[in-house]
Amino acid sequence: HNLRKLAAADGAVMWTKAIPHTLHSCRAITDGSFFCGWTMAASDGTLDFENGITVDGVDDTAGIIKYNGAGVAQWAKATHTTSFSVLEVSHDGTLLAYYGRAESSTQVSRIDTSAGNEGNILWTDTDSGVGTHGFRDIAVTHDGREVLVSMARSVGVRATR
């Protein structure tokens, strides 16, 4: 697996880093650093992101990682027992949230990005009682004040002949 940074002007490769797991939903912030997520398994063993950053694989658990603009891992953490779906982050990186699926429901979690608390879960909200298909998308406001989620709900359709 590789992580690659491309120049916006012409797509030229700026750097390529070998990584121990496929990452998804990478989001950049204004200082050039970026966050990514993944779903891990115990069979992954210990994932070594270099720079002294490792995460032990745990079945059906979402992981979050922060890289600096040069592609050097800053921190990584296993979060919830849930599959990882989508991550969003405010421009300055102070509001990070993701959603994923845990058993038969989806959940949204806010992740702490402050120094010394990186990757800790601040809160989690489940989709119970508000829809039949759970969370479908997530966004955060650029000022870091709100997390927005969209949900799906099945509606009965009557067939006619």
Side-chain angles (χ1 to χ4, degrees):
H1 307 286
N2 287 301
L3 185 61
R4 181 172 284 176
K5 183 175 183 178
L6 306 176
D10 61 6
V13 175
M14 298 175 73
W15 51 254
T16 300
K17 302 283 182 175
I19 54 174
H21 201 285
T22 301
L23 301 175
H24 301 280
S25 195
C26 295
R27 301 289 186 259
I29 61 176
T30 54
D31 69 1
S33 61
F34 57 98
F35 297 88
C36 302
W38 79 96
T39 301
M40 65 182 80
S43 61
D44 292 336
T46 299
L47 300 170
D48 185 353
F49 291 96
E50 300 183 348
N51 197 35
I53 308 298
T54 61
V55 177
D56 291 330
V58 180
D59 279 335
D60 301 319
T61 298
I64 305 291
I65 186 165
K66 181 182 182 183
Y67 287 95
N68 68 15
V72 177
Q74 303 299 292
W75 58 264
K77 187 135 184 199
T79 58
H80 267 303
T81 303
T82 178
S83 64
F84 176 85
S85 294
V86 175
L87 171 145
E88 283 296 330
V89 63
S90 61
H91 284 288
D92 64 1
T94 57
L95 175 57
L96 172 73
Y98 82 94
Y99 84 88
R101 179 165 294 284
E103 296 181 23
S104 62
S105 67
T106 56
Q107 59 189 31
V108 170
S109 296
R110 179 168 180 197
I111 306 299
D112 197 341
T113 60
S114 64
N117 297 305
E118 297 95 339
N120 292 335
I121 299 165
L122 294 172
W123 55 257
T124 297
D125 186 17
T126 63
D127 63 11
S128 59
V130 292
T132 56
H133 292 3
F135 297 119
R136 295 306 215 200
D137 202 2
I138 185 170
V140 298
T141 56
H142 296 303
D143 62 8
R145 301 177 99 197
E146 298 173 314
V147 175
L148 309 166
V149 294
S150 68
M151 306 181 79
R153 180 177 175 164
S154 290
V155 178
V157 176
R158 184 173 31 166
T160 57
R161 293 185 209 204

